Amino acid sequence: MTDVDDLAPELRRVLGTAGSVDGLRRLSGGASRETWAFSAEGRALILQRTRPGSSMGGPSMADEDRLLAAAVVAGVPVPAVVVDAAGCEPFLGPARITAHVDGEALGPRIVRDERFAPARSVLVGQCARALAAIHSIDPSMVSGLESVDVLERLRVGLDLVEEARPTFELALRWLADRRPPARPPAVVHGDFRVGNLLVDAASGLTAVLDWELAHLGDPLEDLGWLCVRAWRFGGDGEVGGIGPLTDLLDSYAEATGAPVDPEHVRWWIVAGTLTWGLICAVQARRHLDGHVQSVELVAIGRRVVETEYDLLGLLGIDAPPDGAGPASSAPDPNGERSAAGSDAAPRPDRGSTTAPAADPTAGPASAHTAVTNPTATSTTSTTASEPATTSSTIEEPAATSSAIEEPATTSSTVAEPASRSGAVEEPGPDRTPSIDRQGRPTAAELVDAVRTHLADQVAPALEGSSAFQLRVAGNALAIVERELRLGPAMALRAGDLLAGLGLADIPDEASLAAAIRSGSIAALTGSPVAAAIRALVVDRLRIANPKWLLPPDRPDPQ
């Protein structure tokens, strides 16, 4: 049941009112929950309901209600619960109704809009204090929170969704070799980041949203997640694009009374980046496995490669000098305006500090070993978040909405094609890939025509959630167009890269991932294997989202 006419009577029954339910509209997001805004008897309210299909786990709605009550006692700002899960279940299924809270949740506005400069000046400290309050909740007072071993969850989850990627195997080995000492288990929010926070332009933090991934674990997990590149929205600061990591750690230490080792937080940044990759894959499988039909969810699957790229940088597997490695010969999207759009915000670098590159397969790091900081965007939101898809600067109405999350990427409109010709770059005179033999228009040209029609003729008539979904569809078509144009050459190049390693029984990347897992191949930093893995990832990202690439991988505009 998603139709407004069907939902309004059920809301009246839940609320026990004979009055009208006004302004009912679905907000643009959450990948795991649908969110509706409405008013009843003059009060602005928010409804959240669980979507069907697989997820990353987390507490039930009823357990989450108890956690929210404990958070209020601990001093965490959260929306007031109006009707809890028990009251909603008979009529709406797993759901909750909360009060509307004023504030902005759109990441790009919080990070880049000049109106939010006063908020940014205090937000890092407010986040630190909110996290300290969350971590102070007595775990014995909150039922239904699972104790999560992040490495076990990552290994089991990646195998479950059949994500056999060499980069992920390198990251898992790196994490296993450098795991910080265990801390007493604490309540972990699990999705604390810009985009899941409501922010007032003048005063800063007004509410912490999206508790559906809460669990028991190391409290530093929340600090690392806040610093993952996916959540920086074009800002320069390590912490959600708004400030330096040192400010977060200092404020957190002041609030908790205990210092924090920054290298332990950096370990959690790597773990968080890999976790985001798993979440993208899980969300895509919800569509692919038939649980729910959603172009938004299936498009998220192509964001997995963004996390591969970020992980390689964190592990010290960077681009080779110009002309010195496989990455220099990769085909590019002609350097033209890509699916991100010409007005997409440039991405920041991976952080303000750089440490010596760590060998991803070496033994445990010393106390002085660090990884390059990431730059940051996530997962699922619970109060009205816009999903993390393939678009990033979508203007939603109503800046005071209780929670609309702008997706964590770099596109702002239905994208222009990288080429109008539909041609595929050829890797060499003797190995021309197959071309479209159906005549003109080519498949790529047809896709481009459809996308242009949607952008020019259909999009202007839409607004809100419908406009957002159309942008997602346009970005998905942009990926298809680039794959039609660049894919054949890149497939030949992938074969060449793997064959060039001279390794028996390694015909594809899945086999290479298995060899890294077994320990039969050590992809040392600077080795041909590491260079080949990086080149393959860069090629895939040039199709999935070229604007995510950082210099020197990003093609120069022409």
Side-chain angles (χ1 to χ4, degrees):
M1 177 183 62
T2 58
D3 184 79
V4 171
D5 293 334
D6 292 335
L7 184 55
E10 297 300 327
L11 288 171
R12 285 195 293 270
R13 294 175 67 189
V14 170
L15 294 167
T17 177
S20 63
V21 170
D22 300 315
L24 182 61
R25 69 188 189 282
R26 185 168 178 176
L27 302 179
S28 304
S32 67
R33 292 180 180 177
E34 60 182 56
T35 305
W36 297 75
F38 66 100
S39 63
E41 297 182 343
R43 186 177 185 185
L45 300 171
I46 296 292
L47 165 70
Q48 287 194 309
R49 295 196 301 177
T50 300
R51 285 179 167 183
S54 59
S55 70
M56 289 290 293
S60 67
M61 278 278 193
D63 289 330
E64 197 175 315
D65 285 338
R66 287 185 281 273
L67 176 57
L68 289 172
V72 171
V73 174
V76 184
V78 297
V81 175
V82 176
V83 182
D84 63 14
C88 289
E89 178 72 33
F91 309 104
L92 300 170
R96 175 188 304 110
I97 296 175
T98 66
H100 166 97
V101 176
D102 287 339
E104 179 60 79
L106 286 172
R109 290 182 187 167
I110 295 170
V111 172
R112 300 198 301 266
D113 193 318
E114 192 58 34
R115 293 175 301 162
F116 285 84
R120 290 192 292 270
S121 69
V122 298
L123 191 55
V124 171
Q126 291 173 330
C127 287
R129 290 186 288 275
L131 285 171
I134 292 170
H135 302 155
S136 74
I137 297 172
D138 184 350
S140 67
M141 302 301 293
V142 184
S143 63
L145 298 186
E146 296 182 358
S147 183
V148 173
D149 182 309
V150 65
L151 290 186
E152 180 181 4
R153 178 180 63 184
L154 286 166
R155 166 62 67 208
V156 172
L158 290 169
D159 286 349
L160 185 65
V161 295
E162 301 175 328
E163 287 292 337
R165 302 194 182 219
T167 301
F168 288 174
E169 295 300 326
L170 293 177
L172 284 166
R173 179 171 294 188
W174 187 95
L175 289 166
D177 287 344
R178 293 162 173 80
R179 190 165 194 164
R183 287 171 169 260
V187 172
V188 175
H189 180 280
D191 200 9
F192 191 102
R193 61 176 178 85
V194 174
N196 287 343
L197 309 172
L198 288 179
V199 178
D200 178 81
S203 61
L205 183 65
T206 61
V208 177
L209 310 174
D210 299 348
W211 294 74
E212 67 220 53
L213 296 181
H215 58 273
L216 300 180
D218 188 328
L220 298 189
E221 177 182 345
D222 278 336
L223 277 70
W225 185 252
L226 180 57
C227 298
V228 168
R229 181 186 175 193
W231 319 135
R232 296 189 184 177
F233 298 97
D236 294 330
E238 291 177 83
V239 183
I242 56 177
L245 179 61
T246 52
D247 285 2
L248 178 70
L249 300 188
D250 289 346
S251 296
Y252 184 80
E254 181 180 357
T256 60
V260 177
D261 188 332
E263 297 312 316
H264 295 171
V265 176
R266 297 197 189 285
W267 187 93
W268 281 106
I269 293 172
V270 176
T273 302
L274 183 53
T275 297
W276 174 226
L278 172 58
I279 289 171
C280 289
V282 168
Q283 300 292 27
R285 287 298 292 264
R286 293 171 62 203
H287 169 94
L288 297 172
D289 292 344
H291 296 292
V292 60
Q293 291 296 305
S294 170
V295 67
E296 167 194 328
L297 293 181
V298 75
I300 291 175
R302 287 300 185 99
R303 299 202 59 202
V304 174
V305 68
E306 294 174 12
T307 67
E308 290 185 89
Y309 183 75
D310 291 344
L311 284 167
L312 290 173
L314 290 166
L315 300 182
I317 302 176
D318 291 312
D322 289 345
S328 64
S329 60
D332 64 47
N334 293 335
E336 297 133 345
R337 183 176 179 183
S338 69
S342 64
D343 55 349
R347 307 303 305 181
D349 62 19
R350 290 188 176 87
S352 58
T353 60
T354 303
D359 179 354
T361 58
S366 71
H368 300 291
T369 302
V371 295
T372 307
N373 298 344
T375 66
T377 358
S378 164
T379 71
T380 56
S381 170
T382 68
T383 302
S385 81
E386 197 157 20
T389 69
T390 54
S391 164
S392 102
T393 51
I394 297 170
E395 292 298 317
E396 284 291 332
T400 57
S401 145
S402 137
I404 304 173
E405 177 199 346
E406 195 156 23
T409 68
T410 54
S411 168
S412 67
T413 60
V414 176
E416 291 297 322
S419 167
R420 296 284 179 178
S421 69
V424 176
E425 289 83 348
E426 297 180 4
D430 300 325
R431 302 178 65 236
T432 303
S434 298
I435 61 173
D436 192 333
R437 301 185 183 280
Q438 305 301 316
R440 301 286 298 276
T442 64
E445 288 171 329
L446 285 170
V447 170
D448 171 47
V450 172
R451 191 169 72 250
T452 301
H453 170 74
L454 293 176
D456 295 346
Q457 304 299 322
V458 180
L462 301 177
E463 59 183 19
S465 178
S466 297
F468 170 74
Q469 295 295 335
L470 183 67
R471 289 184 176 100
V472 173
N475 287 322
L477 289 173
I479 294 172
V480 174
E481 188 272 338
R482 286 194 297 274
E483 186 165 339
L484 287 170
R485 185 167 47 80
L486 301 175
M490 288 184 175
L492 292 175
R493 172 175 150 77
D496 289 345
L497 286 168
L498 292 170
L501 296 176
L503 301 172
D505 302 323
I506 306 293
D508 52 36
E509 289 187 77
S511 302
L512 182 56
I516 294 172
R517 179 187 295 196
S518 70
S520 61
I521 291 180
L524 303 177
T525 300
S527 71
V529 173
I533 291 171
R534 191 180 190 285
L536 292 166
V537 167
V538 169
D539 276 2
R540 281 201 300 278
L541 192 49
R542 284 177 172 163
I543 288 176
N545 184 7
K547 289 293 184 180
W548 196 259
L549 293 164
L550 301 169
D553 297 312
R554 185 188 298 176
D556 293 329
Q558 297 178 358

